[in-house]
Amino acid sequence: MKIEVEGIVIKQTPYKEKDAMISLLTKNGMVSFLAHNVLSLSSKYRSSCLPFTYSIFTLNSKLDKLSLSQAKIIKSYMHFYNSLESLTSINLVNECICKFIDEDNTYLFEFLKNYLELLDRGFDEITLTAIMIAQIVKNSGYDLEYNSCVKCSNKKNIVGISYTHGGFVCKNCFDNQTLKKSKEYLKTFRYLFMIPPDKMAHYVIDSSIGFSLIEEFCSYLSTSFGLKEIKALEMYKNSKK
Ligand SMILES: [Zn+2]
C-alpha cells in the first residue's frame, strides 16, 4: 500500500551504509520512515530528505514499516545553513522538538511551518525563536501558568515568574523561588504562549527580553526532563556574542 504525507524533516539518522531513517513533523504528528540509499550523492531524493526541507513523500507501507517511494520538495530552506543566525536558531528549535515533544503532537506543525517561512522572509529571529521555544514548553507536558498567579489564581498584581511553582506569581505570593520581572517582561512572556501560528509576525519583541526568556525556557525544559543540557543552546548563545 502507498500513502502520501506532507511534512518538514526534523531528523535524519544514518542507517547501514547509505540509508537513513527520516523523521518528519506533519499536521498529524511525527512520521518516520526508512529511505534507501538517500545518503548517496546520486540519490534523487537526497535533498528532499535533508533537515528543514518541507516535502511531500509517497511511502510504501508494509507490515507497519514505512519506506520512501518518491519525494517532491515543496520548499527547501537549505540556504539557512549559510547563515549563522538562522542555523543556530533552527538547530535549537529542532533539538527541543526532538527531545521534548511527543510523536503524536499535531499542534506544532503550523508553528514550525510559519517559523521557517518567516525566518526565510527575514522576520526578527529572536521573536520567532522565543515563540517556538515557548510553544514547545506549552506542548511538552510542563506548560506554565501565564494568565494568573500559579499559587492563588489572582489575576492582578503579577510581579514575577517562578519556574519552580510553574508560572506567574502575584505580589502576595512572592517568595525566594520567584524571579521579579518588569511589566514588559511579563507581557512578553504571556504573548509568546498566547500567539496563534498565523499571527507570529504580529509584533517584534524586545531582543534582550526575548533572549533571556529563551535561556529560561531551555533551562526549565532540561530541568523538567532531567537533562543535563540542550546542546544547541550553547551554540545559539555564542552566535549572539
Ligand atoms: Zn498569588
Side-chain angles (χ1 to χ4, degrees), residues 149-154 158 168-174:
C149 171
V150 69
K151 296 180 89 180
C152 75
S153 301
N154 191 349
I158 302 296
F168 277 1
V169 175
C170 79
K171 204 163 107 187
N172 297 334
C173 300
F174 189 87

Side-chain angles (χ1 to χ4, degrees), residues 84-85 88 211 215 231-241:
L84 186 65
E85 187 181 65
T88 55
F211 183 69
E215 280 193 282
K231 290 189 195 98
L233 181 62
E234 219 36 54
M235 220 165 76
Y236 181 77
K237 279 156 68 176
N238 287 336
S239 77
K240 304 285 178 237
K241 279 178 187 163

Side-chain angles (χ1 to χ4, degrees), residues 117-134:
E117 193 47 39
L118 290 167
L119 202 57
D120 190 34
R121 281 192 230 153
F123 187 72
D124 185 63
E125 174 272 315
I126 291 193
T127 303
L128 292 172
T129 310
I131 292 174
M132 287 309 292
I133 307 295

Side-chain angles (χ1 to χ4, degrees), residues 148-206:
S148 56
C149 171
V150 69
K151 296 180 89 180
C152 75
S153 301
N154 191 349
K155 284 192 188 296
K156 285 181 183 159
N157 299 318
I158 302 296
V159 292
I161 298 166
S162 165
Y163 289 96
T164 316
H165 300 312
F168 277 1
V169 175
C170 79
K171 204 163 107 187
N172 297 334
C173 300
F174 189 87
D175 61 10
N176 60 6
Q177 310 268 17
T178 305
L179 309 162
K180 196 164 169 36
K181 300 290 187 188
S182 70
K183 279 218 163 66
E184 193 185 349
Y185 203 103
L186 295 165
K187 208 178 100 188
T188 308
F189 183 101
R190 188 164 185 274
Y191 173 79
L192 298 174
F193 283 91
M194 296 285 292
I195 193 80
D198 58 335
K199 299 268 173 9
M200 286 166 81
H202 179 64
Y203 174 73
V204 174
I205 63 171
D206 175 87

